[in-house]
Amino acid sequence: MSPTILTDRLILRPFRQDDIVSLCTHLNNYKISSLLTVVPFPYNRSDAEEWISLNQTADPNDMLNWAIEYEGALVGTVGAVDLRGETNFGYWLSEQCWGRGFTSEAVRSALEYLFELKGMIALRSGVFKENVASQRILAKFGFQQIADTFAYSGARGARKIPYLRVELTKRNYYLNRGSVLGTNDHCAF
């Protein structure tokens, strides 16, 4: 399971069974699920149960996903899979929390953990071209485009959608780290 990380406003923690309702509520929002590759729409209870079970039984040397908690409620996810291979990093945040800096705060803390404590060399991610807000977040942390391609969205069916693959190397992480860490930012592992 993922370790708990405390930030100024958030708790990044392992998934629990009582997250099922929140996962269903947030991921049944097409504005969120349509911007993710593997999340179906509609998102139902069995999808949430499968996600929680996967995370509770995962080898933390291969997969680390955190529930993002704010004021006692799950509001999103951040994490990485395939830590022994071509690691893929991703996140989502509930619509009511958009524009409050929560995504950057969670991403910053997860990247810090992955690079500093897990010793990652590089992380890959991806974003649908229409998701300009997520492109800005990834660029802010130093992710650089490596491919202009297409990907499927589980919520949108079998359509190929324009997609950008990006990568953040440990070197670029450290080069950009100072510019994205504010004076009030901290996290505790």
Side-chain angles (χ1 to χ4, degrees):
M1 285 209 288
S2 301
T4 298
I5 300 172
L6 306 176
T7 73
D8 286 339
R9 300 178 293 171
L10 306 172
I11 299 172
L12 278 56
R13 59 162 174 80
F15 286 91
R16 305 182 305 236
Q17 289 300 314
D18 64 349
D19 291 328
I20 291 172
V21 172
S22 293
L23 283 169
C24 290
T25 300
H26 299 310
L27 291 175
N28 263 327
N29 181 340
Y30 190 74
K31 290 179 185 177
I32 294 172
S33 61
S34 67
L35 297 176
L36 303 172
T37 55
V38 297
V39 174
F41 183 84
Y43 190 88
N44 60 47
R45 184 176 185 85
S46 65
D47 297 318
E49 289 170 347
E50 183 179 327
W51 173 253
I52 289 170
S53 176
L54 175 69
N55 281 280
Q56 289 178 336
T57 60
D59 178 349
N61 292 312
D62 192 48
M63 183 169 82
L64 288 170
N65 287 307
W66 290 273
I68 302 170
E69 183 179 306
Y70 176 67
E71 295 183 341
L74 179 140
V75 296
T77 301
V78 63
V81 297
D82 196 14
L83 298 178
R84 295 180 181 125
E86 190 175 285
T87 303
N88 195 42
F89 182 80
Y91 52 86
W92 63 264
L93 191 70
S94 67
E95 185 177 10
Q96 65 264 31
C97 292
W98 291 354
R100 297 169 69 181
F102 290 169
T103 303
S104 292
E105 190 171 327
V107 166
R108 179 185 317 107
S109 297
L111 291 176
E112 188 171 321
Y113 183 88
L114 291 165
F115 281 114
E116 293 190 18
L117 296 178
K118 289 300 280 185
M120 301 306 301
I121 301 300
L123 300 173
R124 294 229 171 144
S125 193
V127 60
F128 290 113
K129 283 187 176 182
E130 68 207 68
N131 191 350
V132 177
S134 194
Q135 288 178 45
R136 280 193 292 254
I137 288 169
L138 292 166
K140 175 168 83 170
F141 287 97
F143 281 87
Q144 296 180 337
Q145 183 177 333
I146 57 172
D148 190 340
T149 187
F150 294 89
Y152 293 100
S153 164
R156 298 192 230 186
R159 292 185 10 226
K160 286 185 176 182
I161 301 157
Y163 192 77
L164 301 173
R165 291 290 295 156
V166 296
E167 180 178 70
L168 178 61
T169 63
K170 189 172 210 167
R171 181 181 186 279
N172 281 345
Y173 164 74
Y174 282 110
L175 287 174
N176 284 285
R177 187 169 176 235
S179 65
V180 295
L181 288 176
T183 55
N184 294 326
D185 293 334
H186 76 282
C187 66
F189 302 114

